[in-house]
Amino acid sequence: MASWNSTGIDEDQQVLVEERRFARILTLNRPKQLNAISFTMVSRLLELFSSYETDPSVKLVVVKGKGRAFCAGGDVSAAAHAIKESEWRKGAYFFRKQYTLNYLLATSSKPQVSLLNGIVMGGGAGVSIHGRFRVATEKSIFAMPETSLGHFPDVGASYYLPRLRGFFGEYVGLTGARLDGAEMLACGLATHFVPSERLTQLEEALCRADTSQPSIISAIIDKFSRTPILHEQSAYNRLDVIDKCFSRRTVEDILAALEEEALKKKDDWIDSTIRDLKKASPTSLKISLRSIREGRLQDAGQCLIREYRMACHVMRGEVSEDFIEGCRALLLDKDRNPKWEPSKLELVTDAMVERYFSRIEDEEWEDLKLTARPNLPASATSKL
């Protein structure tokens, strides 16, 4: 798996581990790559969190990123390279490991506090949002930009996005909208908001705590928290329009509802939302909407199993090669002008969408298998 790990940083240094009494501080350490998740990082995090589950000396885990990002996503350029080399199974193996990690974090018996001081996108959300405590700051920027890459919001996003208020999750997942720390707190992606200059003090206070009790940990974070003010133009102040439009049954219906709203009055936010949807991969939009809608009625494990099927279909490129094209246009050539195929929503048929949710027709392929998790705390069992 060497092609997934060429980062300029020794593999054993991509996740820094600090032992502080009953706490463990994990630092994602690929700052030049904005801490994008590599295969090495996924493997190391999976190893660490698995060991913490059975280690009575570990009562709390703090996760943070080095530099100006918490984590800007998975290493999708490496995945695209694997596909171009006709090695889609390498990409599938990466996703299998990553989704297994997401499941472990979602069902962990040890409280996780993620300090989201910077960029949190894609895979970065996967290693934080599933944890019990998510601390945003004035520097936080959250997004799930996958539809602009020809992919879909994964790493368990189809579990947590539909559990945001109303249809805000559909809005975030389809448009790739960027949210600041105040918006993250308001919509529930963050549990607390702490000014960045107080994070060091918060970290010290957490490390002094000899407890796994969520109520005590929450009270500690509360001492450093404040309530931020949503800016006037925040999308979260548009919940009435978002619910009216993004509750529609199809992507075409959502766009039509937004365009109807745009005719009523001049509104830059609506115009921008329409542009974002029209720039995204039509195939990605359709499979993403279905994924989020199915996630409303599924637990975290079921969502990850379904997402693994979808990711494997994306990697194989039999229905659409939009993922390769999106990576080319946004990450490699950077011309920001992807040529999607199919190019229009109406050309993406229900049968094409259905294939992303079906088993892979390959004798060597199998569904993601997640281990049963008995004796879990209430916060974890509620996700199952």
Side-chain angles (χ1 to χ4, degrees), residues 1-9 11 14 38-41 75:
M1 303 295 292
S3 62
W4 294 80
N5 301 321
S6 54
T7 67
I9 293 177
E11 291 186 15
Q14 291 186 28
S38 67
F39 181 81
T40 295
M41 294 169 80
D75 195 351

Side-chain angles (χ1 to χ4, degrees), residues 31-45:
K32 291 184 179 179
Q33 294 81 19
L34 301 179
N35 299 321
I37 294 285
S38 67
F39 181 81
T40 295
M41 294 169 80
V42 168
S43 300
R44 181 62 172 145
L45 289 170

